[in-house]
């Protein structure tokens, strides 16, 4: 059984992951409207990853005798000025999520909850990839600097991304 403090914090994290899904779908919608389907695909797949994160916390909470409490999801930003702005925001958002996961880990350590620490290790590793993925594309966008040919090449590259759920969860 989880202590209430940890249960509440995991429910907060579920809300943040749902917001992440919503935020990335909003970015995908903007790219769709800009006729950049590869970039849109990248964020649709990212949104699927976020739903996977939600369900991982969801299953864990239930397995530990806790209860999932869904909260309101804020409306995400809908208007953006450029692809670069979007990736700046996505990178910043992932840094925010990393901080939140680290705080959850601090709480699990404080509570000597070894099962929660073990579950969170997966997220700690995942966040390294999440930040690197957003920053990697951001750096490419800076090189391309909004020029047509480079943008179309990147769009083609991002069209290839697919969602593959991790087998060990
Ligand atoms: Fe669920 Fe992108 O962190």
């Amino acid at each position: 059984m989880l202590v209430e403090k940890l249960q509440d914090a995991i429910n907060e994290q579920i809300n943040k992951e749902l917001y992440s899904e919503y935020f990335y779908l909003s970015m995908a919608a903007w790219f769709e409207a800009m006729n950049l389907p590869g970039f849109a695909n990248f964020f649709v797949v990212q949104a699927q990853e976020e739903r996977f994160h939600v369900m991982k916390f969801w299953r864990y909470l239930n397995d530990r005798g806790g209860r999932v409490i869904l909260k309101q999801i804020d409306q995400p930003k809908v208007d953006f000025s450029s692809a670069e702005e979007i990736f700046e925001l996505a990178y910043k958002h992932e840094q925010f999520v990393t901080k939140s996961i680290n705080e959850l880990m601090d709480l699990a350590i404080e509570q000597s909850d070894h099962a929660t620490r073990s579950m969170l290790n997966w997220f700690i590793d995942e966040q390294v990839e999440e930040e690197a993925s957003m920053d990697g594309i951001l750096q490419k966008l800076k090189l391309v600097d909004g020029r047509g040919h480079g943008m179309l090449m990147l769009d083609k590259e991002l069209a290839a991304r697919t969602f593959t759920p991790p087998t060990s969860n």
Side-chain angles (χ1 to χ4, degrees):
M1 187 78 183
L2 278 170
V3 295
E4 203 174 325
K5 236 176 163 182
L6 259 175
Q7 172 170 305
D8 291 348
I10 291 173
N11 271 316
E12 283 299 327
Q13 191 62 36
I14 286 176
N15 183 263
K16 286 173 190 160
E17 301 291 346
L18 282 167
Y19 175 79
S20 303
E21 178 185 5
Y22 214 31
F23 194 21
Y24 293 141
L25 282 177
S26 185
M27 293 173 175
W30 187 86
F31 279 119
E32 290 281 5
M34 294 293 130
N35 291 313
L36 287 166
F39 280 92
N41 173 65
F42 175 89
F43 279 106
V44 167
V45 172
Q46 188 61 37
Q48 288 174 300
E49 288 218 352
E50 299 305 340
R51 175 57 64 92
F52 181 83
H53 298 167
V54 169
M55 297 315 292
K56 199 168 166 67
F57 280 118
W58 175 299
R59 279 194 303 274
Y60 180 74
L61 208 46
N62 282 302
D63 286 349
R64 292 292 309 278
R67 182 172 169 215
V68 173
I69 308 276
L70 295 180
K71 298 166 199 288
Q72 181 168 330
I73 306 167
D74 294 336
Q75 185 186 13
K77 184 173 165 65
V78 293
D79 287 319
F80 306 95
S81 59
S82 65
E84 198 173 315
E85 186 203 5
I86 286 187
F87 277 89
E88 295 265 13
L89 290 171
Y91 181 39
K92 228 183 253 173
H93 183 68
E94 287 304 332
Q95 289 173 316
F96 161 77
V97 174
T98 299
K99 185 170 175 283
S100 180
I101 298 278
N102 286 342
E103 285 167 2
L104 255 182
M105 182 61 108
D106 289 343
L107 189 57
I109 290 168
E110 181 196 300
Q111 297 293 325
S112 303
D113 189 328
H114 301 293
T116 301
R117 286 172 61 176
S118 173
M119 179 274 294
L120 287 171
N121 274 331
W122 185 89
F123 282 96
I124 301 268
D125 294 343
E126 174 76 354
Q127 282 311 118
V128 174
E129 277 179 39
E130 296 275 273
E131 285 192 31
S133 157
M134 295 304 177
D135 188 39
I137 298 165
L138 177 59
Q139 296 314 317
K140 283 185 186 172
L141 278 168
K142 284 183 176 166
L143 281 177
V144 164
D145 199 21
R147 282 186 295 271
H149 184 64
M151 287 299 285
L152 290 177
M153 295 249 301
L154 259 181
D155 193 61
K156 203 171 160 194
E157 181 185 321
L158 298 179
R161 187 182 189 198
T162 54
F163 176 63
T164 319
T167 44
S168 65
N169 58 8

